[in-house]
Amino acid sequence: NAGVMQNPRHLVRRRGQEARLRCSPMKGHSHVYWYRQLPEEGLKFMVYLQKENIIDESGMPKERFSAEFPKEGPSILRIQQVVRGDSAAYFCASSPLGGDPDSPLHFGNGTRLTVT
Amino acid sequence: AQSVTQLDSHVSVSEGTPVLLRCNYSSSYSPSLFWYVQHPNKGLQLLLKYTSAATLVKGINGFEAEFKKSETSFHLTKPSAHMSDAAEYFCVVSEVSSASKIIFGSGTRLSIRP
């Protein structure tokens, strides 16, 4: 049973370009979470999605960031017009029971975005 | 409001000696508490979780943690450190059924001296 798959592992973008980060949850999981980890910091919640629905996006910046989890295919985190401050590791996690405080999250290995 | 505080940003111990990583939390309700480990350039792996059952929780790789409600603590311990334990450790509190209420601590980097 494959774990949470994120790609690419490393992504380099110039300022102003778009970054697209992909996440395939574990088999049988329909709840996906995106987190951002800045250097020397913990994880900050960004967005929680179920298939075709955004459930909680309270951690998403108001501009340039969007996320989707279509009926078919992986979840996508999209960052438009990237700036240097977007450089971070972006982690995706999935769980079988969304919103269950007892349900642990299963993490991917992350995508490390570098904006030059 | 809930929060989690990891009291040490960096802990260094000698191989074979005990490990103590401290975590304090605040919560309005009965929380669920987790410890995750992150090895370099890897994702986070669940070490153990507390969900209102036994207060002493045993996890993988010889780690355990004790939930102490009176002290609002959930410290992570291991009797004897191994070189492979060098990693970043995150204490996590989850309170209600809301994704944004899963709160991560800022992490403790554990270094192991030979």
Side-chain angles (χ1 to χ4, degrees), chain A residues 13-84:
Chain A
R13 286 288 178 266
R14 289 199 177 103
R15 279 181 297 170
Q17 292 184 318
E18 178 181 288
R20 292 170 67 87
L21 289 62
R22 289 177 289 278
C23 169
S24 297
M26 284 183 70
K27 188 176 181 181
H29 290 192
S30 59
H31 303 267
V32 165
Y33 309 77
W34 284 94
Y35 289 83
R36 177 164 62 176
Q37 184 179 34
L38 294 169
E40 307 299 320
E41 293 189 16
L43 277 72
K44 303 296 184 187
F45 168 79
M46 298 183 75
V47 62
Y48 161 41
L49 311 103
Q50 294 181 30
K51 286 282 187 181
E52 300 184 277
N53 286 305
I54 296 174
I55 306 301
D56 183 345
E57 57 181 346
S58 58
M60 286 278 271
K62 294 288 185 277
E63 297 176 348
R64 302 188 297 107
F65 285 72
S66 63
E68 63 176 8
F69 189 16
K71 186 176 180 180
E72 302 291 337
S75 175
I76 305 289
L77 178 68
R78 182 180 176 205
I79 311 172
Q80 295 178 293
Q81 299 175 330
V82 296
V83 300
R84 288 222 171 102

Side-chain angles (χ1 to χ4, degrees), chain A residues 4-5 7 19 27 38 41 45 60 65 83-84 87 90 95-96 100 102 104 109-111:
Chain A
V4 177
M5 303 300 293
N7 65 81
K27 188 176 181 181
L38 294 169
E41 293 189 16
F45 168 79
M60 286 278 271
F65 285 72
V83 300
R84 288 222 171 102
S87 295
Y90 292 82
S95 73
D100 179 351
D102 291 352
N109 285 337
T111 293

Side-chain angles (χ1 to χ4, degrees), chain A residues 9 33 35 37 40-43 45 48 56 58 91 99 101-102 104-105 107-109 112, chain B residues 32 34 36 38 41-44 46 49 51 90 94 97-100 102 104-106 109:
Chain A
R9 289 296 305 277
Y33 309 77
Y35 289 83
Q37 184 179 34
E40 307 299 320
E41 293 189 16
L43 277 72
F45 168 79
Y48 161 41
D56 183 345
S58 58
F91 288 94
D102 291 352
L105 301 174
F107 283 86
N109 285 337
R112 279 151 186 83
Chain B
S32 296
F34 307 79
Y36 283 83
Q38 183 182 28
N41 299 315
K42 296 285 189 183
L44 278 73
L46 180 68
K49 70 173 184 176
T51 57
F90 293 95
S94 173
S97 57
S98 167
S100 61
I102 302 172
F104 283 75
S106 56
R109 182 177 303 167

Side-chain angles (χ1 to χ4, degrees), chain B residues 1-112:
Chain B
Q2 60 179 7
S3 66
V4 58
T5 302
Q6 291 185 242
L7 296 157
D8 307 294
S9 59
H10 185 210
V11 170
S12 180
V13 302
S14 297
E15 190 176 18
T17 63
V19 174
L20 170 64
L21 305 183
R22 298 183 293 167
C23 173
N24 286 97
Y25 70 92
S26 67
S27 174
S28 304
Y29 305 96
S30 296
S32 296
L33 295 158
F34 307 79
W35 276 98
Y36 283 83
V37 60
Q38 183 182 28
H39 288 93
N41 299 315
K42 296 285 189 183
L44 278 73
Q45 179 185 16
L46 180 68
L47 270 181
L48 51 80
K49 70 173 184 176
Y50 166 77
T51 57
S52 74
T55 56
L56 182 61
V57 182
K58 294 188 183 299
I60 61 172
N61 300 336
F63 283 94
E64 61 182 37
E66 185 172 7
F67 174 70
K68 292 186 177 180
K69 187 175 182 178
S70 60
E71 299 176 11
T72 60
S73 69
F74 190 57
H75 301 334
L76 181 70
T77 60
K78 182 172 180 177
S80 176
H82 191 272
M83 294 301 291
S84 62
D85 294 328
E88 189 92 14
Y89 292 80
F90 293 95
C91 181
V92 180
V93 61
S94 173
E95 185 176 86
V96 295
S97 57
S98 167
S100 61
K101 297 296 188 275
I102 302 172
I103 306 297
F104 283 75
S106 56
T108 298
R109 182 177 303 167
L110 177 62
S111 300
I112 311 296

